Amino acid sequence: MDTAADITAMRRAITLASRGLGSTSPNPVVGCVILDAAGTPVGEGFHQRAGGPHAEIHALRAAGGRARGGTAYVTLEPCNHTGRTGPCAQALVEAGVSRVVYAVGDPDPQATGGAQTLRAAGVETVGGLLAEEAEAGNAAWLTSVRLGRPYVLWKYAATLDGRIAAADATSRWITSPEARADVHRLRAEADAVIVGSGTARTDDPQLGVRGVEGARQPLRVVVDTTATAVRPGARVLDGTAPTLIAVARDAGADHLPARSVLRLPRSATGRGLDIQALLGALHARGVRSVLLEGGPVLAGAFVAAGTVDKVVGYLAPVLLGAGPAALADAGISTISRALRLDVTETVRIGPDLRITAVPAPARKGN
């Protein structure tokens, strides 16, 4: 049976893991807490950057000899392979830890097996503690491993009546400075930011992260099927971060830097690009998480493709009554086929409301 001390230590490990968001990709975020034989916390750590020491190594270094006979709490099953760093399962064995509790089993076939190695060495090993909480904090990496595509978070900002712009196309600024600053936090946590041709034409966005100390700039992606929205001199082509312009295979793109052009097949419907092909190409480039900031048409294409994993909507206490809605055609023609969501969080951001939701499990009869 899990004790209160077990739960407290694992919850601390989950909190630690979140500090690595935005800096560990293509690796997972992981946290680790070590208690000595008497149950006193003696070491903790988190995976800080790809290629650097894993969470268990940071925690073991902090604990030193006090780890012997103690318990290690890890948000992800300790790895069992040698890559840029050594296997954490073996490091725990060598440190003399007598018990390991982990939250989520490692689905990566190259790294799994750590629990088996620990048990073979006589270390009591238990999995599944606070698994749901740990999964939520590591959703991007877990999705990328399990589905072979990046995790997609769709973010939009709208009025209370669901409009993202006025009838005359003006849209700056619907939401508050506080909400816009929060969006930069989302960008800092993502490997790539995606917008569509409509946003590129209307806003000429730069898509970089601002106001987040130490942030790594995400890959900037513009879905520009006909290669007509992004022109030389566009802000998205500056030197802030790498950029990809996704265009159809038959589009004329000689005016764009060749290194920035990503040619993809068109959608089977003939409208836009194949979303699965786009995500597959990004995954092959090491992208594990995507922030979708595109307009309603691109968002509709992602929803229609079944590739939206989380929705974050910023709702401003403003009414327009006319203008484009946040979501265009998503292939949903009747209420019985509506994409149902479970709200996981609502919070005030300045004067605005941020709502976070995830697709709900399929319900019987739907």
Side-chain angles (χ1 to χ4, degrees), residues 332-354:
I332 300 169
S333 58
T334 181
I335 192 66
S336 64
R337 295 184 59 201
L339 177 59
R340 304 286 178 174
L341 305 174
D342 286 336
V343 174
T344 59
E345 182 187 53
T346 58
V347 62
R348 287 284 296 269
I349 304 290
D352 306 319
L353 180 65
R354 185 185 70 200

Side-chain angles (χ1 to χ4, degrees), residues 98 203 227 294 363:
S98 64
D203 297 339
R363 295 179 173 90

